[in-house]
Amino acid sequence: QVQLVESGGGSVQPGGSLRLSCAASGFSFGGASMAWFRLAPGKEREVVAAIYIGSSRTWYADSMKGRFTLSQDNAKNTVHLQMNNLKPDDTGMYYCAAEVDGAGTFVAWNFRPPKSDDFHYWGKGTQVTVSS
């Protein structure tokens, strides 16, 4: 049974940092693609960042480049999202997503951003609030 469990959310002031984690189980981690999406009040769900575990290749939304960094811990089947210089617009529920057969998914990122339909499995989310 595939499970994705997010952690690390919280409330911070603008300019602060948080590190989100997504612990995966029930599938072969090494071949997966994983991503973080966020859902903010009044907005559509958007992709934040994605990673193909097999090659550690990453993809970031333009507004996150230079502020957010993905990393993977293969020993713990975990993906981390380090978020620095957080802004109020970063507020939202952050969801971890996974596609078990990730090779084909990540190839598509050469041509378009990752999208929700690329991922079959989703976590329950962790809330991030950036406010002064």
PDB file of all heavy atoms in Angstrom, residues 7-21 36 48 67-71 80-87 90-92 94 126-131:
ATOM      1  N   SER A   7       5.344  16.245   6.501  1.00  0.00           N
ATOM      2  CA  SER A   7       5.576  16.866   7.799  1.00  0.00           C
ATOM      3  C   SER A   7       6.403  18.127   7.596  1.00  0.00           C
ATOM      4  O   SER A   7       6.958  18.346   6.506  1.00  0.00           O
ATOM      5  CB  SER A   7       6.303  15.898   8.751  1.00  0.00           C
ATOM      6  OG  SER A   7       7.564  15.536   8.224  1.00  0.00           O
ATOM      7  N   GLY A   8       6.472  18.940   8.638  1.00  0.00           N
ATOM      8  CA  GLY A   8       7.341  20.111   8.604  1.00  0.00           C
ATOM      9  C   GLY A   8       6.656  21.436   8.387  1.00  0.00           C
ATOM     10  O   GLY A   8       7.309  22.482   8.419  1.00  0.00           O
ATOM     11  N   GLY A   9       5.365  21.423   8.154  1.00  0.00           N
ATOM     12  CA  GLY A   9       4.667  22.685   7.975  1.00  0.00           C
ATOM     13  C   GLY A   9       4.603  23.482   9.267  1.00  0.00           C
ATOM     14  O   GLY A   9       4.952  22.980  10.339  1.00  0.00           O
ATOM     15  N   GLY A  10       4.170  24.723   9.156  1.00  0.00           N
ATOM     16  CA  GLY A  10       4.042  25.563  10.332  1.00  0.00           C
ATOM     17  C   GLY A  10       3.823  27.001   9.956  1.00  0.00           C
ATOM     18  O   GLY A  10       3.533  27.312   8.791  1.00  0.00           O
ATOM     19  N   SER A  11       3.960  27.861  10.939  1.00  0.00           N
ATOM     20  CA  SER A  11       3.779  29.299  10.733  1.00  0.00           C
ATOM     21  C   SER A  11       5.115  30.008  10.914  1.00  0.00           C
ATOM     22  O   SER A  11       5.810  29.770  11.906  1.00  0.00           O
ATOM     23  CB  SER A  11       2.770  29.845  11.747  1.00  0.00           C
ATOM     24  OG  SER A  11       1.495  29.289  11.532  1.00  0.00           O
ATOM     25  N   VAL A  12       5.447  30.851   9.952  1.00  0.00           N
ATOM     26  CA  VAL A  12       6.690  31.616  10.018  1.00  0.00           C
ATOM     27  C   VAL A  12       6.433  33.049   9.557  1.00  0.00           C
ATOM     28  O   VAL A  12       5.438  33.318   8.877  1.00  0.00           O
ATOM     29  CB  VAL A  12       7.817  30.990   9.153  1.00  0.00           C
ATOM     30  CG1 VAL A  12       8.214  29.638   9.680  1.00  0.00           C
ATOM     31  CG2 VAL A  12       7.390  30.924   7.692  1.00  0.00           C
ATOM     32  N   GLN A  13       7.358  33.915   9.895  1.00  0.00           N
ATOM     33  CA  GLN A  13       7.286  35.289   9.416  1.00  0.00           C
ATOM     34  C   GLN A  13       7.913  35.381   8.032  1.00  0.00           C
ATOM     35  O   GLN A  13       8.721  34.516   7.650  1.00  0.00           O
ATOM     36  CB  GLN A  13       8.009  36.218  10.383  1.00  0.00           C
ATOM     37  CG  GLN A  13       7.341  36.310  11.746  1.00  0.00           C
ATOM     38  CD  GLN A  13       8.015  37.330  12.646  1.00  0.00           C
ATOM     39  OE1 GLN A  13       9.164  37.692  12.457  1.00  0.00           O
ATOM     40  NE2 GLN A  13       7.275  37.806  13.643  1.00  0.00           N
ATOM     41  N   PRO A  14       7.545  36.404   7.279  1.00  0.00           N
ATOM     42  CA  PRO A  14       8.190  36.603   5.973  1.00  0.00           C
ATOM     43  C   PRO A  14       9.706  36.632   6.116  1.00  0.00           C
ATOM     44  O   PRO A  14      10.240  37.226   7.058  1.00  0.00           O
ATOM     45  CB  PRO A  14       7.643  37.962   5.530  1.00  0.00           C
ATOM     46  CG  PRO A  14       6.309  38.057   6.196  1.00  0.00           C
ATOM     47  CD  PRO A  14       6.486  37.402   7.536  1.00  0.00           C
ATOM     48  N   GLY A  15      10.371  35.978   5.185  1.00  0.00           N
ATOM     49  CA  GLY A  15      11.817  35.857   5.247  1.00  0.00           C
ATOM     50  C   GLY A  15      12.292  34.622   5.979  1.00  0.00           C
ATOM     51  O   GLY A  15      13.491  34.295   5.932  1.00  0.00           O
ATOM     52  N   GLY A  16      11.393  33.934   6.637  1.00  0.00           N
ATOM     53  CA  GLY A  16      11.749  32.751   7.389  1.00  0.00           C
ATOM     54  C   GLY A  16      11.898  31.512   6.519  1.00  0.00           C
ATOM     55  O   GLY A  16      11.745  31.567   5.291  1.00  0.00           O
ATOM     56  N   SER A  17      12.196  30.401   7.169  1.00  0.00           N
ATOM     57  CA  SER A  17      12.445  29.141   6.465  1.00  0.00           C
ATOM     58  C   SER A  17      11.663  28.004   7.102  1.00  0.00           C
ATOM     59  O   SER A  17      11.372  28.024   8.305  1.00  0.00           O
ATOM     60  CB  SER A  17      13.937  28.802   6.504  1.00  0.00           C
ATOM     61  OG  SER A  17      14.724  29.773   5.850  1.00  0.00           O
ATOM     62  N   LEU A  18      11.344  27.036   6.264  1.00  0.00           N
ATOM     63  CA  LEU A  18      10.758  25.785   6.710  1.00  0.00           C
ATOM     64  C   LEU A  18      11.324  24.663   5.857  1.00  0.00           C
ATOM     65  O   LEU A  18      11.687  24.886   4.696  1.00  0.00           O
ATOM     66  CB  LEU A  18       9.233  25.789   6.572  1.00  0.00           C
ATOM     67  CG  LEU A  18       8.417  26.591   7.583  1.00  0.00           C
ATOM     68  CD1 LEU A  18       6.949  26.626   7.145  1.00  0.00           C
ATOM     69  CD2 LEU A  18       8.532  26.019   8.974  1.00  0.00           C
ATOM     70  N   ARG A  19      11.357  23.469   6.414  1.00  0.00           N
ATOM     71  CA  ARG A  19      11.737  22.293   5.631  1.00  0.00           C
ATOM     72  C   ARG A  19      10.616  21.278   5.718  1.00  0.00           C
ATOM     73  O   ARG A  19      10.310  20.764   6.805  1.00  0.00           O
ATOM     74  CB  ARG A  19      13.046  21.669   6.125  1.00  0.00           C
ATOM     75  CG  ARG A  19      13.522  20.573   5.174  1.00  0.00           C
ATOM     76  CD  ARG A  19      14.904  20.053   5.505  1.00  0.00           C
ATOM     77  NE  ARG A  19      14.855  18.959   6.466  1.00  0.00           N
ATOM     78  CZ  ARG A  19      15.744  17.967   6.494  1.00  0.00           C
ATOM     79  NH1 ARG A  19      16.716  17.928   5.610  1.00  0.00           N
ATOM     80  NH2 ARG A  19      15.651  17.024   7.405  1.00  0.00           N
ATOM     81  N   LEU A  20      10.017  21.025   4.568  1.00  0.00           N
ATOM     82  CA  LEU A  20       8.976  20.012   4.484  1.00  0.00           C
ATOM     83  C   LEU A  20       9.603  18.663   4.144  1.00  0.00           C
ATOM     84  O   LEU A  20      10.597  18.600   3.414  1.00  0.00           O
ATOM     85  CB  LEU A  20       7.948  20.376   3.413  1.00  0.00           C
ATOM     86  CG  LEU A  20       7.297  21.750   3.518  1.00  0.00           C
ATOM     87  CD1 LEU A  20       6.227  21.901   2.430  1.00  0.00           C
ATOM     88  CD2 LEU A  20       6.713  21.983   4.891  1.00  0.00           C
ATOM     89  N   SER A  21       9.006  17.618   4.669  1.00  0.00           N
ATOM     90  CA  SER A  21       9.460  16.267   4.366  1.00  0.00           C
ATOM     91  C   SER A  21       8.290  15.422   3.901  1.00  0.00           C
ATOM     92  O   SER A  21       7.160  15.621   4.353  1.00  0.00           O
ATOM     93  CB  SER A  21      10.098  15.615   5.604  1.00  0.00           C
ATOM     94  OG  SER A  21      11.240  16.331   6.016  1.00  0.00           O
ATOM     95  N   TRP A  36       5.992  18.373  -5.104  1.00  0.00           N
ATOM     96  CA  TRP A  36       5.223  19.146  -4.145  1.00  0.00           C
ATOM     97  C   TRP A  36       4.296  20.081  -4.918  1.00  0.00           C
ATOM     98  O   TRP A  36       4.735  20.766  -5.846  1.00  0.00           O
ATOM     99  CB  TRP A  36       6.136  19.957  -3.241  1.00  0.00           C
ATOM    100  CG  TRP A  36       6.885  19.135  -2.253  1.00  0.00           C
ATOM    101  CD1 TRP A  36       8.126  18.608  -2.386  1.00  0.00           C
ATOM    102  CD2 TRP A  36       6.436  18.743  -0.947  1.00  0.00           C
ATOM    103  NE1 TRP A  36       8.482  17.910  -1.266  1.00  0.00           N
ATOM    104  CE2 TRP A  36       7.462  17.982  -0.358  1.00  0.00           C
ATOM    105  CE3 TRP A  36       5.269  18.970  -0.225  1.00  0.00           C
ATOM    106  CZ2 TRP A  36       7.362  17.440   0.919  1.00  0.00           C
ATOM    107  CZ3 TRP A  36       5.163  18.438   1.047  1.00  0.00           C
ATOM    108  CH2 TRP A  36       6.195  17.681   1.610  1.00  0.00           C
ATOM    109  N   VAL A  48       4.941  23.151  -7.260  1.00  0.00           N
ATOM    110  CA  VAL A  48       6.017  23.919  -6.628  1.00  0.00           C
ATOM    111  C   VAL A  48       7.372  23.437  -7.132  1.00  0.00           C
ATOM    112  O   VAL A  48       8.198  24.225  -7.588  1.00  0.00           O
ATOM    113  CB  VAL A  48       5.938  23.770  -5.091  1.00  0.00           C
ATOM    114  CG1 VAL A  48       7.143  24.405  -4.421  1.00  0.00           C
ATOM    115  CG2 VAL A  48       4.636  24.373  -4.564  1.00  0.00           C
ATOM    116  N   ARG A  67      14.961  29.975  -4.068  1.00  0.00           N
ATOM    117  CA  ARG A  67      14.458  29.995  -2.693  1.00  0.00           C
ATOM    118  C   ARG A  67      14.169  28.595  -2.159  1.00  0.00           C
ATOM    119  O   ARG A  67      14.352  28.330  -0.973  1.00  0.00           O
ATOM    120  CB  ARG A  67      13.163  30.813  -2.619  1.00  0.00           C
ATOM    121  CG  ARG A  67      13.312  32.260  -3.029  1.00  0.00           C
ATOM    122  CD  ARG A  67      12.060  33.066  -2.684  1.00  0.00           C
ATOM    123  NE  ARG A  67      10.864  32.558  -3.330  1.00  0.00           N
ATOM    124  CZ  ARG A  67       9.752  32.239  -2.688  1.00  0.00           C
ATOM    125  NH1 ARG A  67       9.676  32.350  -1.376  1.00  0.00           N
ATOM    126  NH2 ARG A  67       8.689  31.805  -3.355  1.00  0.00           N
ATOM    127  N   PHE A  68      13.695  27.713  -3.037  1.00  0.00           N
ATOM    128  CA  PHE A  68      13.318  26.361  -2.615  1.00  0.00           C
ATOM    129  C   PHE A  68      14.321  25.365  -3.175  1.00  0.00           C
ATOM    130  O   PHE A  68      14.781  25.494  -4.311  1.00  0.00           O
ATOM    131  CB  PHE A  68      11.928  26.004  -3.130  1.00  0.00           C
ATOM    132  CG  PHE A  68      10.794  26.769  -2.498  1.00  0.00           C
ATOM    133  CD1 PHE A  68      10.994  27.853  -1.664  1.00  0.00           C
ATOM    134  CD2 PHE A  68       9.477  26.378  -2.735  1.00  0.00           C
ATOM    135  CE1 PHE A  68       9.945  28.540  -1.080  1.00  0.00           C
ATOM    136  CE2 PHE A  68       8.404  27.056  -2.166  1.00  0.00           C
ATOM    137  CZ  PHE A  68       8.649  28.131  -1.342  1.00  0.00           C
ATOM    138  N   THR A  69      14.616  24.337  -2.403  1.00  0.00           N
ATOM    139  CA  THR A  69      15.549  23.297  -2.835  1.00  0.00           C
ATOM    140  C   THR A  69      15.016  21.925  -2.444  1.00  0.00           C
ATOM    141  O   THR A  69      14.679  21.692  -1.273  1.00  0.00           O
ATOM    142  CB  THR A  69      16.928  23.491  -2.194  1.00  0.00           C
ATOM    143  OG1 THR A  69      17.426  24.796  -2.511  1.00  0.00           O
ATOM    144  CG2 THR A  69      17.913  22.444  -2.725  1.00  0.00           C
ATOM    145  N   LEU A  70      14.960  21.053  -3.429  1.00  0.00           N
ATOM    146  CA  LEU A  70      14.572  19.669  -3.184  1.00  0.00           C
ATOM    147  C   LEU A  70      15.801  18.823  -2.904  1.00  0.00           C
ATOM    148  O   LEU A  70      16.859  19.037  -3.498  1.00  0.00           O
ATOM    149  CB  LEU A  70      13.871  19.082  -4.401  1.00  0.00           C
ATOM    150  CG  LEU A  70      12.379  19.359  -4.578  1.00  0.00           C
ATOM    151  CD1 LEU A  70      11.934  18.937  -5.963  1.00  0.00           C
ATOM    152  CD2 LEU A  70      11.583  18.635  -3.510  1.00  0.00           C
ATOM    153  N   SER A  71      15.635  17.841  -2.013  1.00  0.00           N
ATOM    154  CA  SER A  71      16.688  16.851  -1.810  1.00  0.00           C
ATOM    155  C   SER A  71      16.025  15.509  -1.499  1.00  0.00           C
ATOM    156  O   SER A  71      14.840  15.456  -1.175  1.00  0.00           O
ATOM    157  CB  SER A  71      17.621  17.278  -0.685  1.00  0.00           C
ATOM    158  OG  SER A  71      16.916  17.370   0.545  1.00  0.00           O
ATOM    159  N   HIS A  80      12.812  15.959   0.757  1.00  0.00           N
ATOM    160  CA  HIS A  80      12.724  17.178   1.549  1.00  0.00           C
ATOM    161  C   HIS A  80      12.582  18.382   0.625  1.00  0.00           C
ATOM    162  O   HIS A  80      13.183  18.421  -0.457  1.00  0.00           O
ATOM    163  CB  HIS A  80      13.981  17.358   2.399  1.00  0.00           C
ATOM    164  CG  HIS A  80      14.263  16.222   3.320  1.00  0.00           C
ATOM    165  ND1 HIS A  80      13.501  15.958   4.436  1.00  0.00           N
ATOM    166  CD2 HIS A  80      15.224  15.259   3.282  1.00  0.00           C
ATOM    167  CE1 HIS A  80      13.980  14.895   5.060  1.00  0.00           C
ATOM    168  NE2 HIS A  80      15.021  14.443   4.376  1.00  0.00           N
ATOM    169  N   LEU A  81      11.824  19.341   1.070  1.00  0.00           N
ATOM    170  CA  LEU A  81      11.711  20.616   0.369  1.00  0.00           C
ATOM    171  C   LEU A  81      12.148  21.708   1.335  1.00  0.00           C
ATOM    172  O   LEU A  81      11.426  22.051   2.278  1.00  0.00           O
ATOM    173  CB  LEU A  81      10.279  20.867  -0.106  1.00  0.00           C
ATOM    174  CG  LEU A  81      10.053  22.179  -0.851  1.00  0.00           C
ATOM    175  CD1 LEU A  81      10.799  22.174  -2.187  1.00  0.00           C
ATOM    176  CD2 LEU A  81       8.569  22.437  -1.081  1.00  0.00           C
ATOM    177  N   GLN A  82      13.339  22.236   1.119  1.00  0.00           N
ATOM    178  CA  GLN A  82      13.838  23.350   1.929  1.00  0.00           C
ATOM    179  C   GLN A  82      13.314  24.646   1.335  1.00  0.00           C
ATOM    180  O   GLN A  82      13.564  24.932   0.159  1.00  0.00           O
ATOM    181  CB  GLN A  82      15.366  23.351   1.951  1.00  0.00           C
ATOM    182  CG  GLN A  82      15.962  24.504   2.728  1.00  0.00           C
ATOM    183  CD  GLN A  82      15.690  24.424   4.218  1.00  0.00           C
ATOM    184  OE1 GLN A  82      15.775  23.357   4.808  1.00  0.00           O
ATOM    185  NE2 GLN A  82      15.359  25.562   4.822  1.00  0.00           N
ATOM    186  N   MET A  83      12.595  25.407   2.137  1.00  0.00           N
ATOM    187  CA  MET A  83      11.991  26.650   1.675  1.00  0.00           C
ATOM    188  C   MET A  83      12.587  27.812   2.448  1.00  0.00           C
ATOM    189  O   MET A  83      12.428  27.894   3.680  1.00  0.00           O
ATOM    190  CB  MET A  83      10.470  26.603   1.868  1.00  0.00           C
ATOM    191  CG  MET A  83       9.807  25.392   1.213  1.00  0.00           C
ATOM    192  SD  MET A  83       8.010  25.462   1.255  1.00  0.00           S
ATOM    193  CE  MET A  83       7.717  25.414   3.021  1.00  0.00           C
ATOM    194  N   ASN A  84      13.276  28.683   1.746  1.00  0.00           N
ATOM    195  CA  ASN A  84      13.917  29.850   2.363  1.00  0.00           C
ATOM    196  C   ASN A  84      13.280  31.135   1.849  1.00  0.00           C
ATOM    197  O   ASN A  84      12.614  31.138   0.809  1.00  0.00           O
ATOM    198  CB  ASN A  84      15.409  29.855   2.048  1.00  0.00           C
ATOM    199  CG  ASN A  84      16.132  28.656   2.624  1.00  0.00           C
ATOM    200  OD1 ASN A  84      15.780  28.136   3.671  1.00  0.00           O
ATOM    201  ND2 ASN A  84      17.162  28.213   1.917  1.00  0.00           N
ATOM    202  N   ASN A  85      13.518  32.206   2.570  1.00  0.00           N
ATOM    203  CA  ASN A  85      12.992  33.519   2.186  1.00  0.00           C
ATOM    204  C   ASN A  85      11.500  33.432   1.862  1.00  0.00           C
ATOM    205  O   ASN A  85      11.052  33.907   0.808  1.00  0.00           O
ATOM    206  CB  ASN A  85      13.765  34.076   0.991  1.00  0.00           C
ATOM    207  CG  ASN A  85      13.445  35.528   0.708  1.00  0.00           C
ATOM    208  OD1 ASN A  85      12.963  36.254   1.583  1.00  0.00           O
ATOM    209  ND2 ASN A  85      13.691  35.960  -0.511  1.00  0.00           N
ATOM    210  N   LEU A  86      10.765  32.853   2.759  1.00  0.00           N
ATOM    211  CA  LEU A  86       9.346  32.649   2.516  1.00  0.00           C
ATOM    212  C   LEU A  86       8.584  33.967   2.463  1.00  0.00           C
ATOM    213  O   LEU A  86       8.916  34.934   3.168  1.00  0.00           O
ATOM    214  CB  LEU A  86       8.752  31.731   3.589  1.00  0.00           C
ATOM    215  CG  LEU A  86       9.098  30.253   3.409  1.00  0.00           C
ATOM    216  CD1 LEU A  86       8.881  29.485   4.697  1.00  0.00           C
ATOM    217  CD2 LEU A  86       8.280  29.653   2.285  1.00  0.00           C
ATOM    218  N   LYS A  87       7.570  33.984   1.618  1.00  0.00           N
ATOM    219  CA  LYS A  87       6.751  35.169   1.406  1.00  0.00           C
ATOM    220  C   LYS A  87       5.292  34.854   1.743  1.00  0.00           C
ATOM    221  O   LYS A  87       4.892  33.685   1.705  1.00  0.00           O
ATOM    222  CB  LYS A  87       6.852  35.596  -0.058  1.00  0.00           C
ATOM    223  CG  LYS A  87       8.268  35.826  -0.548  1.00  0.00           C
ATOM    224  CD  LYS A  87       8.304  36.114  -2.044  1.00  0.00           C
ATOM    225  CE  LYS A  87       9.727  36.303  -2.521  1.00  0.00           C
ATOM    226  NZ  LYS A  87       9.785  36.592  -3.980  1.00  0.00           N
ATOM    227  N   ASP A  90       3.470  32.410  -0.316  1.00  0.00           N
ATOM    228  CA  ASP A  90       3.789  30.981  -0.199  1.00  0.00           C
ATOM    229  C   ASP A  90       2.824  30.252   0.729  1.00  0.00           C
ATOM    230  O   ASP A  90       2.893  29.024   0.860  1.00  0.00           O
ATOM    231  CB  ASP A  90       5.223  30.795   0.314  1.00  0.00           C
ATOM    232  CG  ASP A  90       6.260  31.287  -0.668  1.00  0.00           C
ATOM    233  OD1 ASP A  90       6.105  31.035  -1.873  1.00  0.00           O
ATOM    234  OD2 ASP A  90       7.236  31.932  -0.215  1.00  0.00           O
ATOM    235  N   THR A  91       1.953  30.987   1.360  1.00  0.00           N
ATOM    236  CA  THR A  91       0.976  30.373   2.256  1.00  0.00           C
ATOM    237  C   THR A  91       0.069  29.416   1.513  1.00  0.00           C
ATOM    238  O   THR A  91      -0.402  29.721   0.410  1.00  0.00           O
ATOM    239  CB  THR A  91       0.125  31.465   2.940  1.00  0.00           C
ATOM    240  OG1 THR A  91       0.975  32.237   3.798  1.00  0.00           O
ATOM    241  CG2 THR A  91      -0.995  30.865   3.756  1.00  0.00           C
ATOM    242  N   GLY A  92      -0.177  28.258   2.117  1.00  0.00           N
ATOM    243  CA  GLY A  92      -1.076  27.293   1.510  1.00  0.00           C
ATOM    244  C   GLY A  92      -0.870  25.910   2.084  1.00  0.00           C
ATOM    245  O   GLY A  92       0.000  25.698   2.931  1.00  0.00           O
ATOM    246  N   TYR A  94       0.449  22.320   1.438  1.00  0.00           N
ATOM    247  CA  TYR A  94       1.449  21.715   0.575  1.00  0.00           C
ATOM    248  C   TYR A  94       1.246  20.199   0.562  1.00  0.00           C
ATOM    249  O   TYR A  94       1.202  19.559   1.618  1.00  0.00           O
ATOM    250  CB  TYR A  94       2.851  22.058   1.064  1.00  0.00           C
ATOM    251  CG  TYR A  94       3.267  23.466   0.701  1.00  0.00           C
ATOM    252  CD1 TYR A  94       2.654  24.575   1.283  1.00  0.00           C
ATOM    253  CD2 TYR A  94       4.273  23.699  -0.229  1.00  0.00           C
ATOM    254  CE1 TYR A  94       3.005  25.864   0.938  1.00  0.00           C
ATOM    255  CE2 TYR A  94       4.642  24.989  -0.573  1.00  0.00           C
ATOM    256  CZ  TYR A  94       4.014  26.062   0.008  1.00  0.00           C
ATOM    257  OH  TYR A  94       4.381  27.343  -0.338  1.00  0.00           O
ATOM    258  N   THR A 126       0.358  19.335   4.343  1.00  0.00           N
ATOM    259  CA  THR A 126       0.839  20.013   5.537  1.00  0.00           C
ATOM    260  C   THR A 126       0.713  21.519   5.305  1.00  0.00           C
ATOM    261  O   THR A 126       1.025  22.010   4.226  1.00  0.00           O
ATOM    262  CB  THR A 126       2.290  19.606   5.869  1.00  0.00           C
ATOM    263  OG1 THR A 126       2.694  20.191   7.105  1.00  0.00           O
ATOM    264  CG2 THR A 126       3.273  20.004   4.774  1.00  0.00           C
ATOM    265  N   GLN A 127       0.227  22.229   6.303  1.00  0.00           N
ATOM    266  CA  GLN A 127      -0.084  23.644   6.150  1.00  0.00           C
ATOM    267  C   GLN A 127       1.153  24.510   6.374  1.00  0.00           C
ATOM    268  O   GLN A 127       1.898  24.319   7.341  1.00  0.00           O
ATOM    269  CB  GLN A 127      -1.179  24.052   7.130  1.00  0.00           C
ATOM    270  CG  GLN A 127      -1.542  25.519   7.104  1.00  0.00           C
ATOM    271  CD  GLN A 127      -2.226  25.944   5.812  1.00  0.00           C
ATOM    272  OE1 GLN A 127      -3.010  25.185   5.243  1.00  0.00           O
ATOM    273  NE2 GLN A 127      -1.938  27.161   5.356  1.00  0.00           N
ATOM    274  N   VAL A 128       1.342  25.460   5.474  1.00  0.00           N
ATOM    275  CA  VAL A 128       2.390  26.468   5.610  1.00  0.00           C
ATOM    276  C   VAL A 128       1.723  27.839   5.651  1.00  0.00           C
ATOM    277  O   VAL A 128       0.936  28.166   4.752  1.00  0.00           O
ATOM    278  CB  VAL A 128       3.388  26.392   4.434  1.00  0.00           C
ATOM    279  CG1 VAL A 128       4.348  27.577   4.468  1.00  0.00           C
ATOM    280  CG2 VAL A 128       4.153  25.077   4.465  1.00  0.00           C
ATOM    281  N   THR A 129       2.022  28.602   6.678  1.00  0.00           N
ATOM    282  CA  THR A 129       1.468  29.947   6.815  1.00  0.00           C
ATOM    283  C   THR A 129       2.605  30.931   7.001  1.00  0.00           C
ATOM    284  O   THR A 129       3.431  30.781   7.901  1.00  0.00           O
ATOM    285  CB  THR A 129       0.510  30.029   8.001  1.00  0.00           C
ATOM    286  OG1 THR A 129      -0.542  29.070   7.842  1.00  0.00           O
ATOM    287  CG2 THR A 129      -0.104  31.423   8.104  1.00  0.00           C
ATOM    288  N   VAL A 130       2.652  31.916   6.116  1.00  0.00           N
ATOM    289  CA  VAL A 130       3.683  32.952   6.182  1.00  0.00           C
ATOM    290  C   VAL A 130       2.987  34.279   6.440  1.00  0.00           C
ATOM    291  O   VAL A 130       2.257  34.791   5.600  1.00  0.00           O
ATOM    292  CB  VAL A 130       4.504  33.016   4.885  1.00  0.00           C
ATOM    293  CG1 VAL A 130       5.644  34.022   5.033  1.00  0.00           C
ATOM    294  CG2 VAL A 130       5.034  31.647   4.506  1.00  0.00           C
ATOM    295  N   SER A 131       3.226  34.805   7.621  1.00  0.00           N
ATOM    296  CA  SER A 131       2.510  36.013   8.018  1.00  0.00           C
ATOM    297  C   SER A 131       3.303  36.751   9.078  1.00  0.00           C
ATOM    298  O   SER A 131       3.972  36.140   9.911  1.00  0.00           O
ATOM    299  CB  SER A 131       1.123  35.651   8.551  1.00  0.00           C
ATOM    300  OG  SER A 131       0.469  36.784   9.081  1.00  0.00           O
TER     301      SER A 131
END
